[in-house]
Amino acid sequence: MALLRPIWNVLNQLVALIALILLSPLILGVALWVRIADGKGVLFVQDRAGQDGRPFRMLKFRSMVHDSVAMSAQLGMADPFGLLQDDPRITRCGRILRRTSLDELPQLINVVRGQMNLVGPRPDVLPQVANYSPEDARRLEVRPGITGWAQVNGRDDIDWPARFVLDRWYIDHWTPWLDLKIVWRTFADLNRGEPPVHVDTLNIGRAAGDNTQDLSRAA
């Protein structure tokens, strides 16, 4: 499988390029909608950790207000990257974009650039990756994905420890057929409802310097 990975990565880039061309009317339509509904700043650009932890600029359609991270402090959130139930930072059109995953379409550009694949562990923000245990860092062994094994097995309805387990399982059991299965399940789940919001106690604890759980899991 190690020899197949580079070939599969190139195929991902080719498929993403074709998808960008075919979906260009939809992408332009969504961009126009966000611009009209929420003003300037159609894209949300954020540094994320790629394969081997290399930073890259991940693209999404903007689904939150511009000062969402600063607003999280005003809302008393311990995790600025987390969500709230009925989150006031999410725009009206952003709720639709997130529920249908249309906000992820610009990441096809990241795939064409070789920074992501169509399928893989979701790319995490750099401050949280800095607190990964060696076991958790295994999810960085492959390119991150637009969708992944954790997404089709719960997405935001599971906590981070469960996501780490699912991502490691994906890496250990990867085949092209598994990727195709994940893509199929992703499209089948597009009409899902809004998942309940979970407080990310793991990353909150790590950010506060509580490494007790990390040590117990690494033992």
Side-chain angles (χ1 to χ4, degrees), residues 10-26:
V10 173
L11 285 175
N12 270 256
Q13 292 175 264
L14 291 175
V15 171
L17 179 60
I18 294 171
L20 272 175
I21 296 171
L22 295 178
L23 296 175
S24 57
L26 174 61

Side-chain angles (χ1 to χ4, degrees), residues 30 43 59-63 94 96-107 122 155:
V30 172
L43 290 178
L59 308 176
K60 295 181 70 171
F61 281 123
R62 183 169 60 85
S63 61
I96 298 174
L97 292 176
R98 295 169 73 93
R99 189 161 56 245
T100 58
S101 293
L102 288 172
D103 60 324
E104 313 284 3
L105 283 176
Q107 286 164 47
R122 284 296 294 163
R155 201 186 183 203

Side-chain angles (χ1 to χ4, degrees), residues 121 142 208:
V142 298

Side-chain angles (χ1 to χ4, degrees), residues 162-216:
R163 293 187 210 185
F164 287 134
V165 171
L166 289 169
D167 287 338
R168 289 195 298 271
W169 186 94
Y170 166 78
I171 290 170
D172 290 338
H173 296 83
W174 178 81
T175 66
W177 300 115
L178 178 58
D179 275 7
L180 294 175
K181 177 182 178 180
I182 292 170
V183 170
W184 172 260
R185 287 184 56 179
T186 298
F187 281 106
D189 291 344
L190 282 180
N191 292 324
R192 63 184 179 274
E194 193 71 20
V197 173
H198 297 279
V199 177
D200 187 1
T201 55
L202 174 63
N203 283 317
I204 291 173
R206 284 176 168 174
D210 180 9
N211 295 317
T212 303
Q213 186 172 2
D214 291 346
L215 295 173
S216 65

Side-chain angles (χ1 to χ4, degrees), residues 7-148:
I7 299 173
W8 192 248
N9 289 342
V10 173
L11 285 175
N12 270 256
Q13 292 175 264
L14 291 175
V15 171
L17 179 60
I18 294 171
L20 272 175
I21 296 171
L22 295 178
L23 296 175
S24 57
L26 174 61
I27 293 172
L28 291 174
V30 172
L32 182 61
W33 179 35
V34 175
R35 178 65 175 84
I36 293 173
D38 296 318
K40 294 181 180 180
V42 169
L43 290 178
F44 171 74
V45 183
Q46 187 178 54
D47 290 334
R48 298 286 180 105
Q51 186 174 8
D52 298 323
R54 291 189 297 270
F56 73 98
R57 308 210 80 186
M58 191 193 75
L59 308 176
K60 295 181 70 171
F61 281 123
R62 183 169 60 85
S63 61
M64 285 188 167
V65 297
H66 285 291
D67 57 345
S68 60
V69 175
M71 191 174 174
S72 66
Q74 299 172 12
L75 295 170
M77 297 176 61
D79 177 17
F81 304 107
L83 293 174
L84 294 172
Q85 198 71 38
D86 300 320
D87 201 315
R89 299 170 301 165
I90 300 177
T91 64
R92 186 158 43 183
C93 67
R95 294 190 183 280
I96 298 174
L97 292 176
R98 295 169 73 93
R99 189 161 56 245
T100 58
S101 293
L102 288 172
D103 60 324
E104 313 284 3
L105 283 176
Q107 286 164 47
L108 289 170
I109 297 173
N110 291 123
V111 178
V112 172
R113 291 174 176 172
Q115 299 163 329
M116 296 178 63
N117 273 356
L118 298 175
V119 178
R122 284 296 294 163
D124 202 357
V125 294
L126 300 181
Q128 295 180 171
V129 172
N131 292 319
Y132 276 5
S133 69
E135 188 178 32
D136 297 338
R138 288 206 56 216
R139 73 194 305 272
L140 304 174
E141 292 177 5
V142 298
R143 289 182 184 177
I146 298 177
T147 186

